[in-house]
Amino acid sequence: CRSTLLCVKEVQSARIESESRSMLSSGVRPPAFSTAVRSLQRRSGGGVRDFQEIPNTGSNGWINLLRFWKDGRFSLLHKHMENTFRRLGPIYRESLGSQSSVNIMLPMDIGELFRSEGLHPRRMTLQPWATHRETRRHSKGVFLKNGTEWRSDRLLLNKEVMVASAVRRFLPLLDDVARDFCHSLRQRVETEGVGERDQRSMTLDPSPDLFRFALEASCHVLYGERIGLFSSSPSEEAERFIWAVERMLATTPPLLYLPPRLLLALRAPLWTQHATAWDHIFSHAEARIQRGYQRLQTAVGGASDGRFQGVLGQLMEAGQLSSELIKANITELMAGGVDTTAVPLQFALFELARNPDVQERVRAQVLSSWEQASGDPQKALQGAPLLKGVVKETLRLYPVGITVQRYPVRDIVLQNYRVPAGTLVQVCLYPLGRSPEVFECPERFEPSRWAASGEGFRSLAFGFGSRQCVGRRIAENEMQLLLLHILRNFRLTVSSTEELNTKYTLILLPESPPRITFTTRSL
């Protein structure tokens, strides 16, 4: 009812106000951008300036797009944003092809944006994904929906993947996969590594193994079944699925700025690759969903025996979403749950390896908590908050998605400029996470910086509020549990402590995966 919605809105607004006050009390310094920008703001005489006066990178979106393609800037979009903020100040407008946005990076502006997101927050639609669903006559999941339809589906999904009771159900499944991964890796290091019996070492690129871990974990939580990816010869089906997700992600950014239906009509190779990748992702999900339905139907009385049947089984038993909507949302969760977990784990292992003091501090807390928890994964994580700090610190430096987007439902003022309702506003996470105006010594990897309260819109890798990432709890716990078991089993080192070069597809990736030395330690 309307009164309930207004109450929700008031609670959300109060929470944002509280976070804004916390940010101010935490001592965040005012921005120290270029003299030219400060001079421009002084000349405004203190009045709110017009939208058209916001600094911009060029008014012609198609010329800008051609320059991006010519200069190869899509793969360095995160660096482009960082450099543009340095040049133009803490807010700027940008047009690329058919898309225009206002870009911001300071917590005070971010708070104002979220305060104006409304009861049905909207983010930028990934039109290539939406066009694929429409042309293939697939239902859309919550990632691609908006309005009341989005809200009703999202509230049903939250019960199975976001609330505390759901986390308690799937945490043991994630722990099983994390333990098996470390057992498999330890056997490999002990067999193929070098050194003394109790300290065998092996240097490798862990990225292929981490992708298999993320897929195995996602399947176990979503479908309630294991697919055996830690064997010496992983299935061809799994390898094809990982390839399809990577191809889908790589082909999305160039398609964002062009009309997909035009590319479809022209049978453009780029669109064909994108659609084919999605077709394989859907066929992989559909096969496993069918098996899930068969398991549910063969259970006594059509119900499970009390064991957790995965998110799919929970949704089917609840019967509140149609089979088509279940398929759409499970497929989106699967497609978004592999690279977006495996890649941050690469960065986390690298940072722990090149910061041995930090590694030892986190390990000491992990070992103490593990002993006290007596093998209970939930208690072990609760007793080792530095693990959560490692994940947050990794995503501060290497955000998986480099922007969070909203369309304000009313006119707002950002940096003394009026921004009309309905404008696409992007929070740029890479510049935010590396800004000395927001973080003390931002170049340092310091998980303990998150122990203090009053973060105030500084940690937004999973988004914010009711439209935050629906798979957030799965991803956070999946990463923390794997890091916990890796730190119990291994010491991590790297031969070079230099910064990793990064590139952007639809997610932020290392330009070359880091090679890490795993040395066994006594359990």
Side-chain angles (χ1 to χ4, degrees):
C1 68
R2 180 175 175 82
S3 61
T4 302
L5 293 179
L6 288 172
C7 180
V8 170
K9 187 173 182 180
E10 287 172 4
V11 169
Q12 185 184 55
S13 179
R15 182 158 67 109
I16 293 174
E17 292 283 3
S18 174
E19 292 199 13
S20 296
R21 287 194 297 271
S22 296
M23 186 272 294
L24 285 170
S25 66
S26 67
V28 175
R29 299 183 298 280
F33 292 98
S34 71
T35 303
V37 173
R38 291 199 301 271
S39 175
L40 181 65
Q41 290 172 338
R42 281 196 300 270
R43 289 199 302 271
S44 70
V48 176
R49 299 175 68 85
D50 187 70
F51 176 77
Q52 297 299 328
E53 295 181 87
I54 297 175
N56 68 81
T57 60
S59 58
N60 191 310
W62 297 107
I63 291 176
N64 291 342
L65 184 61
L66 287 172
R67 287 174 180 158
F68 257 68
W69 272 329
K70 181 182 176 183
D71 300 339
R73 268 187 268 173
F74 279 116
S75 63
L76 294 173
L77 185 58
H78 55 303
K79 293 287 189 182
H80 164 78
M81 290 174 172
E82 187 175 43
N83 292 334
T84 306
F85 280 120
R86 286 176 183 157
R87 183 167 56 90
L88 297 181
I91 184 171
Y92 69 91
R93 288 187 297 123
E94 183 146 67
S95 296
L96 287 175
S98 57
Q99 179 184 300
S100 295
S101 67
V102 170
N103 293 354
I104 59 174
M105 60 160 283
L106 291 180
M108 284 294 289
D109 296 326
I110 298 167
E112 181 64 20
L113 174 64
F114 286 134
R115 193 177 293 112
S116 66
E117 67 178 5
L119 288 169
H120 303 118
R122 287 177 57 218
R123 59 186 175 197
M124 184 177 71
T125 298
L126 294 179
Q127 195 54 51
W129 298 18
T131 301
H132 173 267
R133 306 301 189 273
E134 292 158 8
T135 57
R136 298 300 197 265
R137 299 180 185 275
H138 290 312
S139 295
K140 294 176 182 176
V142 293
F143 192 86
L144 294 171
K145 283 185 175 179
N146 288 300
T148 55
E149 189 182 24
W150 160 80
R151 187 175 181 82
S152 103
D153 289 0
R154 176 64 193 249
L155 290 174
L156 293 174
L157 283 176
N158 283 351
K159 295 177 184 177
E160 308 305 337
V161 294
M162 289 292 285
V163 300
S165 58
V167 175
R168 286 194 294 272
R169 286 195 296 266
F170 64 67
L171 205 62
L173 278 67
L174 292 175
D175 188 55
D176 286 345
V177 179
R179 287 182 190 235
D180 289 352
F181 174 90
C182 287
H183 177 72
S184 173
L185 180 58
R186 188 177 181 105
Q187 280 189 323
R188 183 179 167 193
V189 173
E190 288 175 344
T191 303
E192 302 175 26
V194 297
E196 300 296 323
R197 180 179 177 183
D198 293 335
Q199 290 189 326
R200 303 284 285 176
S201 294
M202 186 174 181
T203 302
L204 55 98
D205 164 15
S207 58
D209 299 298
L210 293 174
F211 280 106
R212 284 192 284 270
F213 161 75
L215 180 54
E216 183 84 12
S218 292
C219 283
H220 201 19
V221 169
L222 295 178
Y223 303 131
E225 66 176 14
R226 295 289 296 270
I227 55 178
L229 290 180
F230 302 151
S231 66
S232 56
S233 53
S235 72
E236 187 178 331
E237 176 200 13
E239 297 297 327
R240 282 202 308 270
F241 179 82
I242 292 172
W243 171 87
V245 171
E246 292 175 342
R247 190 92 296 262
M248 176 272 291
L249 292 172
T251 53
T252 297
L255 293 170
L256 286 175
Y257 309 101
L258 296 168
R261 293 203 174 266
L262 173 62
L263 298 174
L264 177 63
L266 295 174
R267 298 181 183 271
L270 188 64
W271 169 256
T272 302
Q273 290 177 38
H274 183 77
T276 301
W278 267 121
D279 289 343
H280 186 80
I281 291 167
F282 265 85
S283 65
H284 177 275
E286 189 157 2
R288 300 202 171 277
I289 290 169
Q290 286 302 319
R291 285 203 287 272
Y293 273 110
Q294 290 167 7
R295 283 200 308 272
L296 189 63
Q297 290 168 355
T298 55
V300 178
S304 69
D305 58 4
R307 292 178 301 169
F308 180 57
Q309 300 291 310
V311 174
L312 173 65
Q314 296 289 119
L315 289 171
M316 290 191 296
E317 281 191 352
Q320 293 178 292
L321 284 175
S322 70
S323 59
E324 280 300 307
L325 287 177
I326 290 174
K327 181 173 79 170
N329 284 292
I330 289 290
T331 303
E332 284 182 6
L333 282 166
M334 273 300 302
V338 180
D339 293 55
T340 54
T341 304
V343 172
L345 283 168
Q346 291 180 53
F347 287 125
L349 293 177
F350 169 75
E351 287 292 347
L352 287 169
R354 75 169 184 153
N355 291 279
D357 291 345
V358 173
Q359 183 184 159
E360 289 307 318
R361 270 190 283 130
V362 179
R363 178 180 289 107
Q365 193 179 78
V366 161
L367 294 177
S368 173
S369 179
W370 183 254
E371 184 177 357
Q372 294 177 33
S374 302
D376 183 321
Q378 187 168 24
K379 289 181 180 178
L381 293 185
Q382 288 172 345
L386 281 177
L387 282 172
K388 190 169 187 176
V390 168
V391 172
K392 293 178 81 168
E393 190 73 342
T394 299
L395 293 173
R396 173 182 72 84
L397 291 168
Y398 311 100
V400 180
I402 61 173
T403 65
V404 176
Q405 318 92 30
R406 290 292 187 273
Y407 295 84
V409 297
R410 57 176 173 78
D411 291 2
I412 56 176
V413 175
L414 302 174
Q415 289 297 311
N416 207 39
Y417 294 100
R418 180 172 285 106
V419 177
T423 301
L424 172 61
V425 182
Q426 298 194 109
V427 178
C428 300
L429 301 183
Y430 187 87
L432 165 68
R434 292 172 179 260
S435 171
E437 311 303 330
V438 181
F439 293 95
E440 185 176 350
C441 302
E443 72 284 352
R444 286 177 52 196
F445 183 77
E446 187 46 75
S448 62
R449 78 167 79 234
W450 299 102
S453 59
E455 296 171 12
F457 305 110
R458 299 187 302 161
S459 179
L460 295 166
F462 290 104
F464 176 82
S466 60
R467 190 108 209 199
Q468 66 185 291
C469 172
V470 70
R472 175 177 188 162
R473 301 301 178 212
I474 298 174
E476 285 178 329
N477 287 286
E478 185 179 326
M479 288 189 279
Q480 288 179 60
L481 283 168
L482 184 65
L483 292 171
L484 180 149
H485 290 297
I486 283 179
L487 289 171
R488 288 181 58 237
N489 280 271
F490 304 100
R491 295 191 190 280
L492 310 171
T493 53
V494 284
S495 59
S496 172
T497 59
E498 291 185 6
E499 288 280 338
L500 281 178
N501 291 324
T502 51
K503 63 181 179 181
Y504 173 72
T505 55
L506 193 61
I507 62 174
L508 196 65
L509 299 163
E511 204 169 78
S512 299
R515 291 180 63 80
I516 296 171
T517 300
F518 292 80
T519 302
T520 58
R521 56 179 307 278
S522 299
L523 293 174

